[in-house]
């Protein structure tokens, strides 16, 4: 039964206000709240504590303040100000200076200008304080706008920004050439969004094949590529391609989600590979959490066991 639950179903559940309200009562309650497996907490203090724990294991990290698709200029400004307040806290804590953001959180649904202005505010402070900023890629509807804003920022001198590409999208091979020509860093993912067949591959085999094709271009030619996957088969392909290109382990890194395949994270780090853990936090954790459940049946089983313990 659990195996049959689709990404689309969990995506729909993520929009349920009633389910969100019920989950919020328990998801972050105490240290054993079921959502804490995948979300560091709701505050920057909790995120910093999680980052320190990750770094103590010989890994590196990127912090992400959860939230997306804001509906007003005021909300976009508040999210931007939260990031501007977050940067000096991270710097003062002495942890790695790396963050991830979503442009719909900065007002992309309102206008390109609103999101671009807010992005530049964050990038300016980030550059002053020695941060790298990764712009996450959202659904296919936002790809053009995202790449446009990253290109604008890069050409204005904000070379501390990189972007994400999804192998599930058929356009990503052309987009990779575009970003490589720019010189920006790329994080390669498979993609967590439900997309129509007109723009995205529908089978796992097709998505995997596209991922390998992108790896073959990204690893030899990219600027410190980020290989974001928990799939041992894709990791094996990355190792093969990197070895064939004569790349040292320090020339790229693997990236994985907080709470997912921690055994694999540790084993790669022991072998000398860089492993960056994506650490999300914030009050708007529910949609992110539901996407993690939709990706792997084992995640659902984990949460069900946690709820039994809560009872």
């Amino acid at each position: 039964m659990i195996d049959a639950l689709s990404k689309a179903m969990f995506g729909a559940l993520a929009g349920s206000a009633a389910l969100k309200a019920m989950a919020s009562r328990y998801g972050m309650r105490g240290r054993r709240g079921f959502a804490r497996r995948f979300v560091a907490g709701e505050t920057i203090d909790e995120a910093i504590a999680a980052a320190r724990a990750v770094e103590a294991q010989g890994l590196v990290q990127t912090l992400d303040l959860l939230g997306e698709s804001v509906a007003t200029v005021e909300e976009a400004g508040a999210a931007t100000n939260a990031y501007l307040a977050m940067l000096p806290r991270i710097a003062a804590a002495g942890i790695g200076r790396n963050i991830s953001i979503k442009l719909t959180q900065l007002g992309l649904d309102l206008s390109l200008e609103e999101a671009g202005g807010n992005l530049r505010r964050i990038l300016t402070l980030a550059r002053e304080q020695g941060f790298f900023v990764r712009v996450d890629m959202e659904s296919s509807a936002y790809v053009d706008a995202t790449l446009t804003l990253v290109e604008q920022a890069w050409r204005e001198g904000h070379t501390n920004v990189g972007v994400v590409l999804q192998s599930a999208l058929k356009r990503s091979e052309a987009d990779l050439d575009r970003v490589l020509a720019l010189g920006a860093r790329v994080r390669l993912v498979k993609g967590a969004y439900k997309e129509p067949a007109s723009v995205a591959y529908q089978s796992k085999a097709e998505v995997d094949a596209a991922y390998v094709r992108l790896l073959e271009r990204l690893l030899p030619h990219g600027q410190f590529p980020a290989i974001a996957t928990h799939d041992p088969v894709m990791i094996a392909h990355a190792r093969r391609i990197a070895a064939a290109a004569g790349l040292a382990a320090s020339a790229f890194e693997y990236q994985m989600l907080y709470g997912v395949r921690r055994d694999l994270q540790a084993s790669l780090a022991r072998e000398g590979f860089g492993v960056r853990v994506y650490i999300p936090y914030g009050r708007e954790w529910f949609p992110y959490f539901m996407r993690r459940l939709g990706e792997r049946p084992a995640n659902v089983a984990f949460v069900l066991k946690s709820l039994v313990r809560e009872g």
Side-chain angles (χ1 to χ4, degrees), residues 80-103:
T80 302
N81 289 335
Y83 267 104
L84 294 174
M86 169 186 173
L87 296 181
R89 290 291 309 277
I90 294 172
I95 59 175
R97 302 186 185 194
N98 195 300
I99 63 170
S100 296
I101 62 176
K102 286 183 171 61
L103 291 182

Side-chain angles (χ1 to χ4, degrees), residues 124-198:
T124 297
L125 181 60
R127 184 174 58 188
E128 292 171 358
Q129 299 196 358
F131 278 80
F132 177 74
V133 179
R134 181 80 66 178
V135 175
D136 288 336
M137 190 62 74
E138 300 175 70
S139 69
S140 60
Y142 297 104
V143 175
D144 282 325
T146 299
L147 293 178
T148 294
L149 289 181
V150 168
E151 286 174 334
Q152 288 178 355
W154 184 272
R155 288 171 178 148
E156 291 169 3
H158 297 293
T159 55
N160 58 323
V161 63
V163 72
V164 178
L165 295 178
Q166 304 169 27
S167 72
L169 296 182
K170 296 176 180 178
R171 60 174 292 167
S172 289
E173 291 182 59
D175 289 336
L176 176 59
D177 288 340
R178 178 177 172 182
V179 180
L180 291 178
L182 185 67
R185 294 186 190 180
V186 172
R187 174 201 288 155
L188 181 60
V189 304
K190 290 187 181 180
Y193 296 91
K194 180 65 177 176
E195 302 277 6
S198 58

Side-chain angles (χ1 to χ4, degrees), residues 15-236:
S16 168
L19 187 58
K20 178 180 179 181
M22 182 176 67
S24 296
R25 293 174 54 194
Y26 302 104
M28 290 290 165
R29 189 171 70 178
R31 294 184 177 180
R32 298 181 67 184
F34 61 80
R36 289 186 182 274
R37 171 65 180 264
F38 309 112
V39 181
E42 294 188 335
T43 69
I44 184 61
D45 290 327
E46 290 173 305
I48 288 171
R52 284 181 172 145
V54 163
E55 291 183 354
Q57 299 171 50
L59 311 171
V60 292
Q61 48 75 30
T62 182
L63 292 185
D64 176 35
L65 175 59
L66 293 171
E68 53 195 83
S69 301
V70 302
T72 68
V73 170
E74 290 74 21
E75 289 175 326
T80 302
N81 289 335
Y83 267 104
L84 294 174
M86 169 186 173
L87 296 181
R89 290 291 309 277
I90 294 172
I95 59 175
R97 302 186 185 194
N98 195 300
I99 63 170
S100 296
I101 62 176
K102 286 183 171 61
L103 291 182
T104 60
Q105 190 178 14
L106 305 185
L108 188 55
D109 283 326
L110 304 173
S111 71
L112 205 65
E113 293 74 19
E114 180 69 24
N118 288 329
L119 175 63
R120 282 190 290 274
R121 289 176 63 199
I122 294 170
L123 291 176
T124 297
L125 181 60
R127 184 174 58 188
E128 292 171 358
Q129 299 196 358
F131 278 80
F132 177 74
V133 179
R134 181 80 66 178
V135 175
D136 288 336
M137 190 62 74
E138 300 175 70
S139 69
S140 60
Y142 297 104
V143 175
D144 282 325
T146 299
L147 293 178
T148 294
L149 289 181
V150 168
E151 286 174 334
Q152 288 178 355
W154 184 272
R155 288 171 178 148
E156 291 169 3
H158 297 293
T159 55
N160 58 323
V161 63
V163 72
V164 178
L165 295 178
Q166 304 169 27
S167 72
L169 296 182
K170 296 176 180 178
R171 60 174 292 167
S172 289
E173 291 182 59
D175 289 336
L176 176 59
D177 288 340
R178 178 177 172 182
V179 180
L180 291 178
L182 185 67
R185 294 186 190 180
V186 172
R187 174 201 288 155
L188 181 60
V189 304
K190 290 187 181 180
Y193 296 91
K194 180 65 177 176
E195 302 277 6
S198 58
V199 300
Y201 301 114
Q202 299 298 297
S203 73
K204 181 181 184 301
E206 289 177 310
V207 173
D208 286 355
Y211 196 97
V212 175
R213 289 196 301 272
L214 290 163
L215 277 179
E216 289 172 340
R217 176 79 172 135
L218 174 61
L219 276 167
H221 303 289
Q223 300 294 321
F224 196 61
I227 313 307
T229 182
H230 308 98
D231 185 342
V233 175
M234 294 301 107
I235 290 171

